[in-house]
Amino acid sequence: MGLENCRIKMDYEKFRKVIENLEKVSERSHSIHKLGIDLMEHEDIYHNIITDLLLTVFDERGKDWIDWYLYERVGFTNKVNLATDKDGNEICYDIPSLWEEVKNNLKCKQDTNS
């Protein structure tokens, strides 16, 4: 996608807000599920919308890292799973480090230092 066609701009602050809100929704859903209420069918449509929207901003690799951070980083036993780069350095352990990993996977390249 050329810069002249980029209408969707993502910077760190917008990204942080999106991820924080998705984390809150996930925590709320998990709490409701622990009460024995299954909203999976109801929530599927929202997850599909979120997936489609994320894929308008990030390529597949970026979206995969976001999914990993949101849904796989902390397992069902509350054990934190670690991800590392090719040199063994930990990545995607918090929102700023997730941004560092995915900002290069934006479909519209822009100034991502902010």
Side-chain angles (χ1 to χ4, degrees), residues 75-107:
F76 292 112
T77 61
N78 288 330
K79 177 186 174 283
V80 177
N81 297 305
L82 302 178
T84 57
D85 65 13
K86 62 181 169 53
D87 299 320
N89 301 311
E90 192 175 343
I91 58 173
C92 301
Y93 51 86
D94 60 9
I95 295 173
S97 66
L98 176 62
W99 174 248
E100 286 303 312
E101 189 63 32
V102 301
K103 70 182 182 182
N104 295 320
N105 298 103
L106 288 165
K107 286 189 173 180

Side-chain angles (χ1 to χ4, degrees), residues 54-91:
L54 286 174
L55 285 171
T56 64
V57 178
F58 295 96
D59 64 19
E60 193 70 42
R61 186 173 190 279
K63 171 144 173 344
D64 285 348
W65 274 116
I66 293 167
D67 283 347
W68 178 86
Y69 180 85
L70 290 170
Y71 309 115
E72 297 176 42
R73 183 176 58 93
V74 178
F76 292 112
T77 61
N78 288 330
K79 177 186 174 283
V80 177
N81 297 305
L82 302 178
T84 57
D85 65 13
K86 62 181 169 53
D87 299 320
N89 301 311
E90 192 175 343
I91 58 173

Side-chain angles (χ1 to χ4, degrees), residues 13-59:
E13 281 306 310
K14 287 179 195 170
F15 179 77
R16 181 186 59 76
K17 288 177 187 175
V18 167
I19 298 300
E20 285 176 350
N21 284 322
L22 289 172
E23 285 178 316
K24 287 176 188 173
V25 167
S26 183
E27 289 168 10
R28 186 179 300 159
S29 293
H30 184 69
S31 295
I32 291 170
H33 184 74
K34 284 179 11 182
L35 295 173
I37 302 169
D38 185 3
L39 296 176
M40 179 97 52
E41 228 175 273
H42 174 74
E43 292 179 339
D44 276 349
I45 190 131
Y46 295 109
H47 287 286
N48 292 340
I49 292 167
I50 291 164
T51 295
D52 290 344
L53 289 173
L54 286 174
L55 285 171
T56 64
V57 178
F58 295 96
D59 64 19

